Structures are given as structure tokens and as C-alpha cells.
Coordinates of all heavy atoms in Angstrom, one line a residue:
A1 N 79.7 102.7 83.3 CA 78.7 101.6 83.7 C 78.4 101.7 85.2 O 77.3 101.4 85.7 CB 79.2 100.3 83.3
F2 N 79.5 102.0 86.0 CA 79.3 102.1 87.4 C 79.9 103.4 87.9 O 81.1 103.5 88.3 CB 80.1 100.9 88.1 CG 79.8 99.6 87.5 CD1 80.6 99.0 86.6 CD2 78.6 98.9 87.9 CE1 80.3 97.7 86.0 CE2 78.3 97.7 87.4 CZ 79.1 97.1 86.5
P3 N 79.1 104.5 87.9 CA 79.6 105.8 88.3 C 80.3 105.9 89.6 O 81.3 106.6 89.8 CB 78.3 106.6 88.3 CG 77.4 106.0 87.3 CD 77.7 104.5 87.4
P4 N 79.8 105.1 90.7 CA 80.5 105.2 92.0 C 82.0 104.7 91.9 O 82.8 105.1 92.8 CB 79.7 104.2 92.9 CG 78.4 104.2 92.2 CD 78.6 104.3 90.8
S5 N 82.3 104.0 90.8 CA 83.7 103.5 90.7 C 84.7 104.6 90.6 O 85.9 104.5 91.0 CB 83.8 102.5 89.5 OG 83.6 103.2 88.3
F6 N 84.3 105.7 89.9 CA 85.2 106.8 89.7 C 85.7 107.5 91.1 O 86.8 107.6 91.3 CB 84.6 107.9 88.8 CG 85.5 109.0 88.5 CD1 86.5 108.9 87.6 CD2 85.4 110.2 89.2 CE1 87.4 110.0 87.3 CE2 86.3 111.3 89.0 CZ 87.2 111.2 88.0
S7 N 84.7 107.8 91.9 CA 85.0 108.4 93.2 C 85.7 107.4 94.1 O 86.6 107.8 94.9 CB 83.7 108.9 93.9 OG 82.8 107.8 94.1
Y8 N 85.4 106.1 94.0 CA 86.1 105.1 94.7 C 87.6 105.1 94.4 O 88.4 105.2 95.3 CB 85.5 103.7 94.4 CG 86.0 102.6 95.3 CD1 85.1 101.9 96.1 CD2 87.3 102.2 95.3 CE1 85.6 100.8 96.9 CE2 87.8 101.2 96.1 CZ 86.9 100.5 96.9 OH 87.4 99.5 97.7
L9 N 87.9 105.0 93.1 CA 89.3 104.9 92.7 C 90.0 106.2 93.0 O 91.2 106.2 93.3 CB 89.4 104.5 91.3 CG 89.0 103.0 91.0 CD1 89.2 102.7 89.5 CD2 89.7 102.0 91.9
K10 N 89.3 107.3 92.9 CA 89.9 108.6 93.2 C 90.3 108.7 94.7 O 91.4 109.1 95.1 CB 89.0 109.8 92.9 CG 89.6 111.1 93.1 CD 88.7 112.3 92.6 CE 87.5 112.4 93.6 NZ 86.7 113.6 93.3
D11 N 89.4 108.2 95.5 CA 89.7 108.1 97.0 C 90.9 107.2 97.2 O 91.8 107.5 98.1 CB 88.5 107.6 97.8 CG 87.4 108.6 97.8 OD1 87.7 109.8 97.5 OD2 86.3 108.3 98.2
Y12 N 90.9 106.0 96.6 CA 92.0 105.1 96.7 C 93.3 105.7 96.4 O 94.3 105.6 97.1 CB 91.8 103.8 95.8 CG 93.0 103.1 95.5 CD1 93.8 102.4 96.4 CD2 93.5 103.1 94.2 CE1 94.9 101.7 96.1 CE2 94.7 102.5 93.8 CZ 95.4 101.8 94.8 OH 96.6 101.1 94.5
I13 N 93.4 106.4 95.3 CA 94.7 107.1 94.8 C 95.1 108.1 95.9 O 96.3 108.2 96.2 CB 94.5 107.7 93.4 CG1 94.4 106.5 92.4 CG2 95.7 108.5 93.1 CD1 94.1 107.0 91.0
N14 N 94.1 108.9 96.3 CA 94.5 109.9 97.3 C 94.9 109.4 98.6 O 95.9 109.8 99.3 CB 93.2 110.8 97.6 CG 93.0 111.8 96.4 OD1 93.9 112.1 95.7 ND2 91.7 112.1 96.2
I15 N 94.2 108.3 99.1 CA 94.5 107.7 100.4 C 95.8 106.9 100.3 O 96.7 107.0 101.2 CB 93.4 106.8 100.9 CG1 92.1 107.7 101.1 CG2 93.8 106.1 102.2 CD1 90.9 106.9 101.4
Q16 N 95.9 105.9 99.4 CA 96.9 104.9 99.4 C 98.1 105.3 98.6 O 99.3 105.1 99.0 CB 96.3 103.6 98.9 CG 97.1 102.4 99.2 CD 97.1 102.1 100.7 OE1 98.2 102.1 101.3 NE2 96.0 101.9 101.3
V17 N 97.9 105.8 97.4 CA 99.0 106.1 96.5 C 99.7 107.4 96.8 O 100.9 107.5 97.0 CB 98.5 106.1 95.0 CG1 99.7 106.4 94.1 CG2 97.9 104.8 94.6
I18 N 98.9 108.5 96.9 CA 99.5 109.8 97.2 C 99.8 109.9 98.7 O 100.9 110.2 99.1 CB 98.6 110.9 96.7 CG1 98.4 110.9 95.2 CG2 99.1 112.3 97.1 CD1 97.5 111.9 94.6
G19 N 98.7 109.7 99.5 CA 98.9 109.9 100.9 C 99.8 108.9 101.5 O 100.7 109.2 102.4
G20 N 99.7 107.6 101.1 CA 100.6 106.6 101.7 C 101.9 106.4 101.0 O 103.0 106.5 101.7
G21 N 101.9 106.3 99.7 CA 103.1 106.0 99.0 C 104.1 107.2 99.0 O 105.3 107.0 98.9
L22 N 103.6 108.4 99.1 CA 104.5 109.6 99.1 C 104.8 110.1 100.5 O 105.9 110.8 100.7 CB 104.0 110.7 98.2 CG 103.8 110.3 96.7 CD1 103.2 111.5 96.0 CD2 105.1 109.9 96.1
H23 N 104.0 109.9 101.4 CA 104.1 110.6 102.7 C 104.1 109.7 103.9 O 104.7 110.0 105.0 CB 103.0 111.6 102.9 CG 102.9 112.6 101.8 ND1 103.9 113.5 101.5 CD2 101.9 112.8 100.8 CE1 103.5 114.3 100.4 NE2 102.4 113.9 100.0
E24 N 103.5 108.5 103.9 CA 103.3 107.6 105.0 C 104.5 106.6 105.1 O 104.4 105.5 104.7 CB 102.0 106.9 105.0 CG 101.7 106.1 106.2 CD 100.4 105.4 106.1 OE1 99.5 105.8 105.3 OE2 100.2 104.3 106.7

């Protein structure tokens, strides 16, 4: 229904979960 949501949540996971949670 909201195609931009996919790239948004992918960015969130890369920035906050993977980038932050594992390395920051």
C-alpha cells in the first residue's frame, strides 16, 4: 500500500539495528 515504507524500514535496519546495535 505504501511502497516508500520498504526502503524506509530497510534504511532503519541498516542504520539503527545493524549499524548501531552491532557496531556503535
Side-chain angles (χ1 to χ4, degrees):
F2 307 100
S5 64
F6 182 79
S7 60
Y8 188 119
L9 293 182
K10 185 176 72 171
D11 289 347
Y12 155 69
I13 291 173
N14 287 331
I15 296 170
Q16 200 65 240
V17 181
I18 298 176
L22 298 181
H23 305 295
E24 190 181 330

